[in-house]
Amino acid sequence: MLQDNLTVKGDLVNSDVQNKDINGFKIFLEGALTFAANGRFRGTTILEFSGANSPTVDLSGITDKDFALDIIVNKSGGALTLSGTLRLAGAWTYTAGTVTVTGSTAQFFGTKNLNSGTMAWNNLTIAGDTRTLTGALDVNGNLTISAATTLSAGSNNINCAGNFTNSGTFTAGTSTLKFDGISTVAGSTTFYNLQILTGSTVHLTSTQTFT
């Protein structure tokens, strides 16, 4: 258990197969986060990306729910780059800074909140349990809700430039879903507000309901 906040000026790397449970306070990380070996990183500690460096997040060694720290992005400069497939089981809160997502896929597990603020994702998948939006969601690629999972939208805006695939449950609340690219909508879904922005194309493959 951490006895106080911890600041890491360099990189945080896990290169062996070990289970780590970290509880209490915050880790302020200014460098890269690399988890290249299969293991577990869980606990109540919050991991906050901070500082003005331009690090990369590589969680290629993580499977399913094994990276479960809550994450905050609050950078004063530089750019945080998300690399490859990121399997995240903690909450995600964006506050400030540039996030580069080109080519990445975020897979969210666990019953947690997701607040993306003004950042955008590339591909995003609700891969396990229930994810509740507490802010806007902007997906430049595909938005996927996997079987036996739930995306609860509340009153938030969702922008989707790619395909929207619902094999689970989309709880629309009073949200507005805006398509702003070339999209195929798959899976019977009830939307609250839906907008197709100028220049966008949407193909329907299932019966959809709008309320």
PDB file of all heavy atoms in Angstrom, residues 91-119:
ATOM      1  N   ALA A  91     -11.716   2.992 -14.169  1.00  0.00           N
ATOM      2  CA  ALA A  91     -12.372   4.184 -14.706  1.00  0.00           C
ATOM      3  C   ALA A  91     -11.372   4.978 -15.538  1.00  0.00           C
ATOM      4  O   ALA A  91     -10.152   4.896 -15.329  1.00  0.00           O
ATOM      5  CB  ALA A  91     -12.926   5.035 -13.572  1.00  0.00           C
ATOM      6  N   TRP A  92     -11.888   5.761 -16.479  1.00  0.00           N
ATOM      7  CA  TRP A  92     -11.044   6.632 -17.295  1.00  0.00           C
ATOM      8  C   TRP A  92     -11.610   8.044 -17.221  1.00  0.00           C
ATOM      9  O   TRP A  92     -12.785   8.261 -17.511  1.00  0.00           O
ATOM     10  CB  TRP A  92     -11.012   6.160 -18.743  1.00  0.00           C
ATOM     11  CG  TRP A  92     -10.157   7.009 -19.663  1.00  0.00           C
ATOM     12  CD1 TRP A  92     -10.472   8.224 -20.186  1.00  0.00           C
ATOM     13  CD2 TRP A  92      -8.838   6.700 -20.132  1.00  0.00           C
ATOM     14  NE1 TRP A  92      -9.443   8.689 -20.968  1.00  0.00           N
ATOM     15  CE2 TRP A  92      -8.428   7.773 -20.956  1.00  0.00           C
ATOM     16  CE3 TRP A  92      -7.980   5.609 -19.957  1.00  0.00           C
ATOM     17  CZ2 TRP A  92      -7.184   7.790 -21.588  1.00  0.00           C
ATOM     18  CZ3 TRP A  92      -6.747   5.627 -20.582  1.00  0.00           C
ATOM     19  CH2 TRP A  92      -6.360   6.701 -21.390  1.00  0.00           C
ATOM     20  N   THR A  93     -10.760   9.008 -16.831  1.00  0.00           N
ATOM     21  CA  THR A  93     -11.184  10.403 -16.748  1.00  0.00           C
ATOM     22  C   THR A  93     -10.170  11.267 -17.480  1.00  0.00           C
ATOM     23  O   THR A  93      -8.982  11.267 -17.136  1.00  0.00           O
ATOM     24  CB  THR A  93     -11.291  10.873 -15.289  1.00  0.00           C
ATOM     25  OG1 THR A  93     -12.202  10.030 -14.586  1.00  0.00           O
ATOM     26  CG2 THR A  93     -11.784  12.309 -15.222  1.00  0.00           C
ATOM     27  N   TYR A  94     -10.628  11.993 -18.481  1.00  0.00           N
ATOM     28  CA  TYR A  94      -9.771  12.931 -19.200  1.00  0.00           C
ATOM     29  C   TYR A  94     -10.037  14.332 -18.673  1.00  0.00           C
ATOM     30  O   TYR A  94     -11.190  14.780 -18.610  1.00  0.00           O
ATOM     31  CB  TYR A  94     -10.046  12.884 -20.707  1.00  0.00           C
ATOM     32  CG  TYR A  94      -9.334  13.985 -21.463  1.00  0.00           C
ATOM     33  CD1 TYR A  94      -8.043  13.815 -21.930  1.00  0.00           C
ATOM     34  CD2 TYR A  94      -9.960  15.212 -21.683  1.00  0.00           C
ATOM     35  CE1 TYR A  94      -7.392  14.832 -22.605  1.00  0.00           C
ATOM     36  CE2 TYR A  94      -9.320  16.236 -22.353  1.00  0.00           C
ATOM     37  CZ  TYR A  94      -8.033  16.043 -22.818  1.00  0.00           C
ATOM     38  OH  TYR A  94      -7.382  17.062 -23.471  1.00  0.00           O
ATOM     39  N   THR A  95      -8.933  15.028 -18.328  1.00  0.00           N
ATOM     40  CA  THR A  95      -9.057  16.401 -17.848  1.00  0.00           C
ATOM     41  C   THR A  95      -8.383  17.386 -18.794  1.00  0.00           C
ATOM     42  O   THR A  95      -8.971  18.393 -19.168  1.00  0.00           O
ATOM     43  CB  THR A  95      -8.442  16.534 -16.445  1.00  0.00           C
ATOM     44  OG1 THR A  95      -9.108  15.631 -15.551  1.00  0.00           O
ATOM     45  CG2 THR A  95      -8.599  17.946 -15.907  1.00  0.00           C
ATOM     46  N   ALA A  96      -7.120  17.084 -19.193  1.00  0.00           N
ATOM     47  CA  ALA A  96      -6.386  18.028 -20.033  1.00  0.00           C
ATOM     48  C   ALA A  96      -5.239  17.314 -20.739  1.00  0.00           C
ATOM     49  O   ALA A  96      -4.719  16.304 -20.263  1.00  0.00           O
ATOM     50  CB  ALA A  96      -5.844  19.183 -19.193  1.00  0.00           C
ATOM     51  N   GLY A  97      -4.831  17.889 -21.875  1.00  0.00           N
ATOM     52  CA  GLY A  97      -3.673  17.381 -22.599  1.00  0.00           C
ATOM     53  C   GLY A  97      -4.044  16.780 -23.941  1.00  0.00           C
ATOM     54  O   GLY A  97      -5.215  16.537 -24.240  1.00  0.00           O
ATOM     55  N   THR A  98      -3.024  16.543 -24.766  1.00  0.00           N
ATOM     56  CA  THR A  98      -3.213  15.943 -26.086  1.00  0.00           C
ATOM     57  C   THR A  98      -3.064  14.430 -25.987  1.00  0.00           C
ATOM     58  O   THR A  98      -2.113  13.932 -25.385  1.00  0.00           O
ATOM     59  CB  THR A  98      -2.169  16.493 -27.078  1.00  0.00           C
ATOM     60  OG1 THR A  98      -2.336  17.916 -27.202  1.00  0.00           O
ATOM     61  CG2 THR A  98      -2.326  15.847 -28.451  1.00  0.00           C
ATOM     62  N   VAL A  99      -4.015  13.706 -26.581  1.00  0.00           N
ATOM     63  CA  VAL A  99      -3.969  12.243 -26.606  1.00  0.00           C
ATOM     64  C   VAL A  99      -3.999  11.800 -28.066  1.00  0.00           C
ATOM     65  O   VAL A  99      -4.934  12.122 -28.799  1.00  0.00           O
ATOM     66  CB  VAL A  99      -5.134  11.608 -25.834  1.00  0.00           C
ATOM     67  CG1 VAL A  99      -5.010  10.088 -25.857  1.00  0.00           C
ATOM     68  CG2 VAL A  99      -5.168  12.125 -24.397  1.00  0.00           C
ATOM     69  N   THR A 100      -2.961  11.050 -28.486  1.00  0.00           N
ATOM     70  CA  THR A 100      -2.876  10.536 -29.853  1.00  0.00           C
ATOM     71  C   THR A 100      -3.348   9.086 -29.860  1.00  0.00           C
ATOM     72  O   THR A 100      -2.810   8.256 -29.127  1.00  0.00           O
ATOM     73  CB  THR A 100      -1.433  10.626 -30.378  1.00  0.00           C
ATOM     74  OG1 THR A 100      -0.994  11.989 -30.326  1.00  0.00           O
ATOM     75  CG2 THR A 100      -1.348  10.131 -31.813  1.00  0.00           C
ATOM     76  N   VAL A 101      -4.333   8.785 -30.705  1.00  0.00           N
ATOM     77  CA  VAL A 101      -4.985   7.471 -30.633  1.00  0.00           C
ATOM     78  C   VAL A 101      -4.906   6.692 -31.944  1.00  0.00           C
ATOM     79  O   VAL A 101      -5.452   5.593 -32.043  1.00  0.00           O
ATOM     80  CB  VAL A 101      -6.469   7.620 -30.228  1.00  0.00           C
ATOM     81  CG1 VAL A 101      -6.595   8.252 -28.863  1.00  0.00           C
ATOM     82  CG2 VAL A 101      -7.244   8.430 -31.271  1.00  0.00           C
ATOM     83  N   THR A 102      -4.215   7.212 -32.948  1.00  0.00           N
ATOM     84  CA  THR A 102      -4.194   6.611 -34.283  1.00  0.00           C
ATOM     85  C   THR A 102      -3.825   5.127 -34.231  1.00  0.00           C
ATOM     86  O   THR A 102      -2.781   4.758 -33.689  1.00  0.00           O
ATOM     87  CB  THR A 102      -3.203   7.351 -35.187  1.00  0.00           C
ATOM     88  OG1 THR A 102      -3.539   8.742 -35.210  1.00  0.00           O
ATOM     89  CG2 THR A 102      -3.242   6.803 -36.606  1.00  0.00           C
ATOM     90  N   GLY A 103      -4.692   4.278 -34.802  1.00  0.00           N
ATOM     91  CA  GLY A 103      -4.421   2.842 -34.879  1.00  0.00           C
ATOM     92  C   GLY A 103      -4.720   2.051 -33.631  1.00  0.00           C
ATOM     93  O   GLY A 103      -4.588   0.826 -33.623  1.00  0.00           O
ATOM     94  N   SER A 104      -5.159   2.698 -32.563  1.00  0.00           N
ATOM     95  CA  SER A 104      -5.365   2.003 -31.286  1.00  0.00           C
ATOM     96  C   SER A 104      -6.807   1.540 -31.142  1.00  0.00           C
ATOM     97  O   SER A 104      -7.727   2.046 -31.786  1.00  0.00           O
ATOM     98  CB  SER A 104      -5.009   2.913 -30.109  1.00  0.00           C
ATOM     99  OG  SER A 104      -5.905   4.010 -30.039  1.00  0.00           O
ATOM    100  N   THR A 105      -6.989   0.541 -30.263  1.00  0.00           N
ATOM    101  CA  THR A 105      -8.322   0.071 -29.872  1.00  0.00           C
ATOM    102  C   THR A 105      -8.378  -0.017 -28.360  1.00  0.00           C
ATOM    103  O   THR A 105      -7.560  -0.706 -27.745  1.00  0.00           O
ATOM    104  CB  THR A 105      -8.628  -1.308 -30.473  1.00  0.00           C
ATOM    105  OG1 THR A 105      -8.654  -1.222 -31.905  1.00  0.00           O
ATOM    106  CG2 THR A 105      -9.988  -1.818 -29.988  1.00  0.00           C
ATOM    107  N   ALA A 106      -9.319   0.692 -27.762  1.00  0.00           N
ATOM    108  CA  ALA A 106      -9.523   0.622 -26.311  1.00  0.00           C
ATOM    109  C   ALA A 106     -10.637  -0.366 -26.021  1.00  0.00           C
ATOM    110  O   ALA A 106     -11.738  -0.246 -26.565  1.00  0.00           O
ATOM    111  CB  ALA A 106      -9.868   1.987 -25.752  1.00  0.00           C
ATOM    112  N   GLN A 107     -10.348  -1.363 -25.179  1.00  0.00           N
ATOM    113  CA  GLN A 107     -11.342  -2.333 -24.749  1.00  0.00           C
ATOM    114  C   GLN A 107     -11.589  -2.124 -23.253  1.00  0.00           C
ATOM    115  O   GLN A 107     -10.666  -2.269 -22.454  1.00  0.00           O
ATOM    116  CB  GLN A 107     -10.868  -3.760 -25.012  1.00  0.00           C
ATOM    117  CG  GLN A 107     -10.676  -4.087 -26.473  1.00  0.00           C
ATOM    118  CD  GLN A 107     -10.242  -5.521 -26.697  1.00  0.00           C
ATOM    119  OE1 GLN A 107      -9.834  -6.217 -25.766  1.00  0.00           O
ATOM    120  NE2 GLN A 107     -10.310  -5.983 -27.922  1.00  0.00           N
ATOM    121  N   PHE A 108     -12.831  -1.803 -22.910  1.00  0.00           N
ATOM    122  CA  PHE A 108     -13.146  -1.507 -21.516  1.00  0.00           C
ATOM    123  C   PHE A 108     -13.859  -2.685 -20.869  1.00  0.00           C
ATOM    124  O   PHE A 108     -14.847  -3.208 -21.396  1.00  0.00           O
ATOM    125  CB  PHE A 108     -14.019  -0.252 -21.410  1.00  0.00           C
ATOM    126  CG  PHE A 108     -13.243   1.024 -21.592  1.00  0.00           C
ATOM    127  CD1 PHE A 108     -13.253   1.696 -22.797  1.00  0.00           C
ATOM    128  CD2 PHE A 108     -12.489   1.535 -20.547  1.00  0.00           C
ATOM    129  CE1 PHE A 108     -12.536   2.865 -22.965  1.00  0.00           C
ATOM    130  CE2 PHE A 108     -11.762   2.702 -20.699  1.00  0.00           C
ATOM    131  CZ  PHE A 108     -11.788   3.374 -21.916  1.00  0.00           C
ATOM    132  N   PHE A 109     -13.335  -3.093 -19.719  1.00  0.00           N
ATOM    133  CA  PHE A 109     -13.919  -4.128 -18.882  1.00  0.00           C
ATOM    134  C   PHE A 109     -14.293  -3.486 -17.543  1.00  0.00           C
ATOM    135  O   PHE A 109     -13.837  -2.405 -17.206  1.00  0.00           O
ATOM    136  CB  PHE A 109     -12.918  -5.258 -18.627  1.00  0.00           C
ATOM    137  CG  PHE A 109     -12.458  -5.969 -19.866  1.00  0.00           C
ATOM    138  CD1 PHE A 109     -11.434  -5.456 -20.642  1.00  0.00           C
ATOM    139  CD2 PHE A 109     -13.047  -7.161 -20.258  1.00  0.00           C
ATOM    140  CE1 PHE A 109     -10.999  -6.109 -21.792  1.00  0.00           C
ATOM    141  CE2 PHE A 109     -12.623  -7.832 -21.393  1.00  0.00           C
ATOM    142  CZ  PHE A 109     -11.596  -7.299 -22.159  1.00  0.00           C
ATOM    143  N   GLY A 110     -15.102  -4.179 -16.749  1.00  0.00           N
ATOM    144  CA  GLY A 110     -15.395  -3.699 -15.409  1.00  0.00           C
ATOM    145  C   GLY A 110     -16.550  -2.717 -15.389  1.00  0.00           C
ATOM    146  O   GLY A 110     -16.816  -2.008 -16.366  1.00  0.00           O
ATOM    147  N   THR A 111     -17.247  -2.654 -14.280  1.00  0.00           N
ATOM    148  CA  THR A 111     -18.354  -1.720 -14.094  1.00  0.00           C
ATOM    149  C   THR A 111     -17.792  -0.432 -13.533  1.00  0.00           C
ATOM    150  O   THR A 111     -17.585  -0.286 -12.320  1.00  0.00           O
ATOM    151  CB  THR A 111     -19.417  -2.331 -13.161  1.00  0.00           C
ATOM    152  OG1 THR A 111     -19.925  -3.531 -13.771  1.00  0.00           O
ATOM    153  CG2 THR A 111     -20.564  -1.372 -12.921  1.00  0.00           C
ATOM    154  N   LYS A 112     -17.505   0.492 -14.432  1.00  0.00           N
ATOM    155  CA  LYS A 112     -16.818   1.739 -14.084  1.00  0.00           C
ATOM    156  C   LYS A 112     -17.356   2.874 -14.932  1.00  0.00           C
ATOM    157  O   LYS A 112     -18.114   2.675 -15.885  1.00  0.00           O
ATOM    158  CB  LYS A 112     -15.310   1.593 -14.328  1.00  0.00           C
ATOM    159  CG  LYS A 112     -14.603   0.644 -13.367  1.00  0.00           C
ATOM    160  CD  LYS A 112     -14.310   1.309 -12.026  1.00  0.00           C
ATOM    161  CE  LYS A 112     -13.445   0.470 -11.132  1.00  0.00           C
ATOM    162  NZ  LYS A 112     -13.007   1.187  -9.916  1.00  0.00           N
ATOM    163  N   ASN A 113     -16.902   4.099 -14.621  1.00  0.00           N
ATOM    164  CA  ASN A 113     -17.293   5.282 -15.382  1.00  0.00           C
ATOM    165  C   ASN A 113     -16.271   5.569 -16.486  1.00  0.00           C
ATOM    166  O   ASN A 113     -15.100   5.201 -16.395  1.00  0.00           O
ATOM    167  CB  ASN A 113     -17.400   6.500 -14.470  1.00  0.00           C
ATOM    168  CG  ASN A 113     -18.559   6.402 -13.493  1.00  0.00           C
ATOM    169  OD1 ASN A 113     -19.525   5.666 -13.721  1.00  0.00           O
ATOM    170  ND2 ASN A 113     -18.467   7.127 -12.395  1.00  0.00           N
ATOM    171  N   LEU A 114     -16.747   6.268 -17.506  1.00  0.00           N
ATOM    172  CA  LEU A 114     -15.900   6.710 -18.606  1.00  0.00           C
ATOM    173  C   LEU A 114     -16.222   8.163 -18.901  1.00  0.00           C
ATOM    174  O   LEU A 114     -17.343   8.494 -19.291  1.00  0.00           O
ATOM    175  CB  LEU A 114     -16.152   5.842 -19.851  1.00  0.00           C
ATOM    176  CG  LEU A 114     -15.511   6.299 -21.161  1.00  0.00           C
ATOM    177  CD1 LEU A 114     -13.999   6.391 -21.031  1.00  0.00           C
ATOM    178  CD2 LEU A 114     -15.901   5.344 -22.298  1.00  0.00           C
ATOM    179  N   ASN A 115     -15.238   9.027 -18.685  1.00  0.00           N
ATOM    180  CA  ASN A 115     -15.391  10.455 -18.971  1.00  0.00           C
ATOM    181  C   ASN A 115     -14.241  10.869 -19.886  1.00  0.00           C
ATOM    182  O   ASN A 115     -13.129  11.084 -19.433  1.00  0.00           O
ATOM    183  CB  ASN A 115     -15.391  11.278 -17.685  1.00  0.00           C
ATOM    184  CG  ASN A 115     -15.754  12.737 -17.942  1.00  0.00           C
ATOM    185  OD1 ASN A 115     -15.675  13.227 -19.062  1.00  0.00           O
ATOM    186  ND2 ASN A 115     -16.150  13.438 -16.885  1.00  0.00           N
ATOM    187  N   SER A 116     -14.535  10.979 -21.172  1.00  0.00           N
ATOM    188  CA  SER A 116     -13.500  11.283 -22.156  1.00  0.00           C
ATOM    189  C   SER A 116     -13.290  12.773 -22.353  1.00  0.00           C
ATOM    190  O   SER A 116     -12.353  13.165 -23.072  1.00  0.00           O
ATOM    191  CB  SER A 116     -13.863  10.647 -23.506  1.00  0.00           C
ATOM    192  OG  SER A 116     -14.029   9.267 -23.379  1.00  0.00           O
ATOM    193  N   GLY A 117     -14.155  13.598 -21.772  1.00  0.00           N
ATOM    194  CA  GLY A 117     -13.993  15.036 -21.944  1.00  0.00           C
ATOM    195  C   GLY A 117     -13.962  15.411 -23.417  1.00  0.00           C
ATOM    196  O   GLY A 117     -14.830  15.022 -24.195  1.00  0.00           O
ATOM    197  N   THR A 118     -12.908  16.128 -23.822  1.00  0.00           N
ATOM    198  CA  THR A 118     -12.788  16.573 -25.209  1.00  0.00           C
ATOM    199  C   THR A 118     -11.861  15.689 -26.028  1.00  0.00           C
ATOM    200  O   THR A 118     -11.605  15.985 -27.201  1.00  0.00           O
ATOM    201  CB  THR A 118     -12.271  18.020 -25.264  1.00  0.00           C
ATOM    202  OG1 THR A 118     -11.013  18.104 -24.573  1.00  0.00           O
ATOM    203  CG2 THR A 118     -13.273  18.973 -24.619  1.00  0.00           C
ATOM    204  N   MET A 119     -11.346  14.602 -25.465  1.00  0.00           N
ATOM    205  CA  MET A 119     -10.477  13.723 -26.242  1.00  0.00           C
ATOM    206  C   MET A 119     -11.321  12.803 -27.124  1.00  0.00           C
ATOM    207  O   MET A 119     -12.505  12.586 -26.872  1.00  0.00           O
ATOM    208  CB  MET A 119      -9.561  12.887 -25.340  1.00  0.00           C
ATOM    209  CG  MET A 119     -10.254  11.779 -24.576  1.00  0.00           C
ATOM    210  SD  MET A 119      -9.117  10.535 -23.877  1.00  0.00           S
ATOM    211  CE  MET A 119      -8.798   9.507 -25.333  1.00  0.00           C
TER     212      MET A 119
END
